Amino acid sequence: MKLTRKLVLAKAKASDLDSVKKLNCWGCNLTDICIFSQIPNIEVLTLSVNSICSLSPLAGCLSLCELYLRRNMIPSLSELSHLRPLTRLKVLWLAENPCCGSDSNQYRMTVLRCLPRLQKLDNQVVTEEEVTLALVEGEEVTTPPTPVQTQVSSNGLTDAETENDPLNYNMEETNKIREQLGMKPLSRDKFPSLSSPSARETKTVVKKSHTLEAVLLLLRDLDEEELHVVHTAAQNRLQTYTLHSETLTDSLQTQKTADVQL
């Protein structure tokens, strides 16, 4: 069953989707929740006891604080990658899904490694010790593959063409990084054509952003002494760039002087 706009408004007793902040769809036999791409302000969401397989429609619900998904059909913990941008998510109930497996400890460690900001998982309080241990014992969660379809998307391309479109890839990667840094995502029209030089530069910048993203995420776990070490290393690196720039300028000036004398 597909969750529709009409059903959402009726259950939330709201006049429009933007005003929906709490929604309870327990036991509604839902399989399709794509409507949540149009409900950006949802804060508390109950979807337990349904037949939901994908969490990708929730990736844009940046205000989500509590999410209840007990007894659904989530096939793999890779679906949690769609929840990474949700920096306000503190409560998650995922138990009794196929993705939980038979090893409850490994399951919990993997979820907490992927979503270390959680304060409660499956109705159990998350401790700082658990989060620290999860970084070592938890498995890395990767983004699940997007199924290739032939339907025409909103940008005029088929889904298969969109998936292979370098511009779309750059846009998704950039917006994922912006969301993790607390920045608003950019729309497609903000990205230049790939045939232009600036687009090629953008592609290079996106690749470098993976390194920047990793560095910024690591900074959150460093103490004061370790931050001082990073600060010193950054200063030394900047001095290297400055010296290189000054050397290059002097070299160009010398070349100009030689040319004038000739």
Side-chain angles (χ1 to χ4, degrees):
M1 178 179 173
K2 182 176 183 179
L3 182 60
T4 63
R5 181 178 184 275
K6 182 178 180 180
L7 184 58
V8 169
L9 296 179
K11 284 185 168 293
K13 298 180 180 179
S15 58
D16 59 86
L17 295 179
D18 285 342
S19 63
V20 176
K21 293 188 176 182
K22 293 184 179 181
L23 184 65
N24 187 342
C25 291
W26 189 97
C28 292
N29 198 30
L30 298 176
T31 57
D32 186 337
I33 56 171
C34 290
I35 189 67
F36 285 106
S37 62
Q38 304 173 43
I39 313 178
N41 299 319
I42 188 76
E43 296 177 359
V44 179
L45 177 58
T46 299
L47 293 171
S48 297
V49 194
N50 284 289
S51 300
I52 298 166
C53 296
S54 175
L55 302 181
S56 59
L58 302 177
C61 301
L62 302 183
S63 297
L64 195 60
C65 300
E66 299 181 20
L67 177 59
Y68 301 91
L69 291 164
R70 185 176 62 89
R71 291 181 60 185
N72 271 279
M73 299 298 293
I74 309 300
S76 168
L77 291 178
S78 61
E79 288 295 325
L80 294 179
S81 63
H82 299 300
L83 304 183
R84 278 178 175 148
L86 312 186
T87 57
R88 297 183 182 180
L89 184 63
K90 303 301 180 185
V91 177
L92 174 64
W93 199 329
L94 191 63
E96 299 178 71
N97 273 276
C99 63
C100 299
S102 56
D103 189 337
S104 59
N105 181 68
Q106 185 62 44
Y107 150 74
R108 190 172 177 87
M109 291 294 99
T110 299
V111 173
L112 293 180
R113 176 175 177 175
C114 180
L115 304 171
R117 296 184 181 88
L118 289 180
Q119 296 177 356
K120 184 180 285 188
L121 173 60
D122 295 339
N123 207 32
Q124 294 183 20
V125 174
V126 175
T127 66
E128 293 183 3
E129 291 77 11
E130 278 187 303
V131 175
T132 301
L133 189 61
L135 295 175
V136 178
E137 296 188 358
E139 297 179 5
E140 183 177 359
V141 172
T142 58
T143 304
T146 304
V148 178
Q149 300 176 352
T150 57
Q151 296 179 356
V152 176
S153 61
S154 59
N155 58 16
L157 300 175
T158 65
D159 287 345
E161 291 171 333
T162 301
E163 182 178 356
N164 295 320
D165 180 8
L167 175 57
N168 188 65
Y169 173 79
N170 288 342
M171 180 177 66
E172 289 181 355
E173 289 297 306
T174 300
N175 281 339
K176 182 172 71 173
I177 294 168
R178 290 176 66 89
E179 287 172 352
Q180 291 182 346
L181 298 179
M183 302 169 66
K184 292 183 178 180
L186 297 175
S187 60
R188 188 181 178 88
D189 58 9
K190 298 295 184 181
F191 283 74
S193 169
L194 285 177
S195 60
S196 65
S198 60
R200 290 192 291 271
E201 293 173 1
T202 299
K203 188 174 182 180
T204 301
V205 170
V206 170
K207 289 182 179 179
K208 290 183 177 180
S209 293
H210 288 294
T211 303
L212 176 60
E213 175 191 12
V215 171
L216 292 175
L217 290 176
L218 285 172
L219 287 178
R220 301 175 185 175
D221 299 324
L222 301 182
D223 58 27
E224 183 177 358
E225 182 178 352
E226 292 168 333
L227 286 171
H228 279 301
V229 173
V230 173
H231 178 66
T232 301
Q235 283 186 319
N236 292 338
R237 184 66 172 165
L238 285 171
Q239 288 177 357
T240 301
Y241 277 110
T242 302
L243 290 173
H244 177 74
S245 178
E246 291 176 350
T247 302
L248 182 60
T249 301
D250 291 342
S251 177
L252 292 174
Q253 187 62 40
T254 301
Q255 184 65 42
K256 281 185 179 181
T257 302
D259 290 343
V260 170
Q261 290 176 348
L262 291 175

